[in-house]
Amino acid sequence: AWMHKNAVTMSAWGKSLLLPRMHVAYSDAGSIETQSTRLNNTFSPSGRNQDARGEPGRGAKLILAQDLGTVAVAESDNASAWAQGVEKALRRVLFVRPYVMIVDDTMRLTQREPGIQSWNNLTGWTIIDNETCESADVRLTRLTPGPVELTAGEDSVHRDRNGGIVPAYRAVFSTPAAKFHRLTTLIEALPPAHVTDRSHVEIVDVDNQVIEIAHGNRTTRITPNGSRLSPQGLWGCTTDGGLFFAVRVEGRVVIAAAFDASWVAGPDSKKTGDGFVVLKEGR
């Protein structure tokens, strides 16, 4: 019955960085408002509440959850969480250990509506430019080109488990009204000053939205547009799929994987499949 199916949260260093809002009791007149979809880290048409309440089996359908070591992936379609107007609400999440997530939202609607991607925290957001905002603990960067609007500010409150109320803040990426939306967001947990173990994140190809994440002796590259990328983009790896990533350790590609793929090829081998295809070193 909850209205935040397909929501993402993030916690680190003993605190919540991206949080779900705590709601008041169902018997309270304000309960519905405090459960609102926009008060969680979701993607929604026009910011509409999910409204498939009281209908078991509706809402997020987990398609994939797989841990590849350096990268863990999940995929879920949430279309049935709305009673009408939503044909597809696919969210794909890549967790690149230890501090980075990529969230890739695809939505297909029956009527033209804007797409609203919401991110909630307790410390507030500073807008850096129209692609990026950050707080003391987390940075959000939208990777999808085009006319996406970024807004941020205080938004209602958060209730803690002891009954206390504190201010909460919401950052929003809004895509223009359309029947089809795709929005890819880079999320970086920003370690406190005493943590020296850090990741270096860089957009190495703006046109193809290739993100490089370096940590220790491994480097991960990710692009939402795998089939468009030349072999040089991911160290000689290619695919006919969409969201595509490769992991390189000490100059050697050890994993390459893509969604919506029938094959993934590395420098020395190729793997075929249907859907999420993973090529590992030596296999």
Side-chain angles (χ1 to χ4, degrees):
W2 289 1
M3 299 184 192
H4 59 270
K5 303 286 182 71
N6 258 17
V8 168
T9 63
M10 176 183 278
S11 299
W13 309 292
K15 54 188 173 182
S16 179
L17 310 186
L18 296 172
L19 80 160
R21 305 287 184 92
M22 291 288 287
H23 62 82
V24 297
Y26 293 115
S27 58
D28 191 297
S31 179
I32 296 297
E33 172 59 25
T34 63
Q35 296 176 60
S36 296
T37 297
R38 67 183 178 85
L39 301 185
N40 297 276
N41 307 312
T42 55
F43 191 72
S44 174
S46 303
R48 287 197 279 134
N49 278 338
Q50 298 171 20
D51 55 4
R53 295 172 59 83
E55 299 182 55
R58 298 191 66 167
K61 302 293 186 184
L62 186 65
I63 299 167
L64 171 71
Q66 192 166 343
D67 193 339
L68 301 174
T70 300
V71 183
V73 303
E75 179 180 34
S76 177
D77 192 345
N78 198 35
S80 64
W82 289 272
Q84 60 183 6
V86 182
E87 296 179 341
K88 182 179 184 180
L90 194 67
R91 169 161 277 189
R92 290 166 171 160
V93 179
L94 277 62
F95 171 40
V96 184
R97 290 184 169 92
Y99 300 131
V100 178
M101 283 201 300
I102 304 290
V103 175
D104 185 67
D105 285 315
T106 303
M107 182 168 280
R108 187 171 62 243
L109 308 172
T110 59
Q111 302 292 328
R112 291 170 57 86
E113 296 184 65
I116 305 297
Q117 192 186 66
S118 300
W119 302 105
N120 296 268
N121 74 8
L122 297 178
T123 58
W125 299 99
T126 298
I127 294 178
I128 307 302
D129 50 41
N130 198 44
E131 287 78 36
T132 307
C133 67
E134 63 181 43
S135 67
D137 308 306
V138 63
R139 178 184 297 122
L140 308 174
T141 304
R142 61 106 172 174
L143 301 173
T144 309
V148 179
E149 181 183 10
L150 171 59
T151 57
E154 187 171 342
D155 186 291
S156 187
V157 296
H158 176 69
R159 293 160 174 80
D160 64 33
R161 295 186 182 278
N162 298 318
I165 296 176
V166 295
Y169 304 87
R170 178 169 167 250
V172 176
F173 289 116
S174 303
T175 57
K179 289 187 177 181
F180 181 80
H181 299 270
R182 186 172 186 192
L183 185 60
T184 307
T185 303
L186 166 67
I187 306 170
E188 302 170 67
L190 303 178
H194 71 273
V195 176
T196 57
D197 178 36
R198 294 172 177 257
S199 298
H200 176 75
V201 181
E202 182 181 359
I203 300 175
V204 295
D205 181 341
V206 174
D207 292 337
N208 291 299
Q209 303 158 51
V210 179
I211 310 103
E212 181 174 280
I213 304 154
H215 193 95
N217 68 346
R218 71 176 186 269
T219 306
T220 304
R221 283 190 175 180
I222 302 167
T223 178
N225 308 307
S227 61
R228 299 188 210 164
L229 197 65
S230 69
Q232 291 75 28
L234 262 67
W235 307 303
C237 299
T238 54
T239 186
D240 65 345
L243 185 59
F244 184 33
F245 64 91
V247 181
R248 188 166 70 165
V249 177
E250 297 179 348
R252 187 180 70 255
V253 174
V254 296
I255 298 171
F259 291 81
D260 294 330
S262 65
W263 57 267
V264 171
D268 304 311
S269 58
K270 184 175 182 177
K271 181 73 174 290
T272 59
D274 183 19
F276 183 65
V277 179
V278 181
L279 173 66
K280 292 187 178 181
E281 182 182 42
R283 285 186 278 174

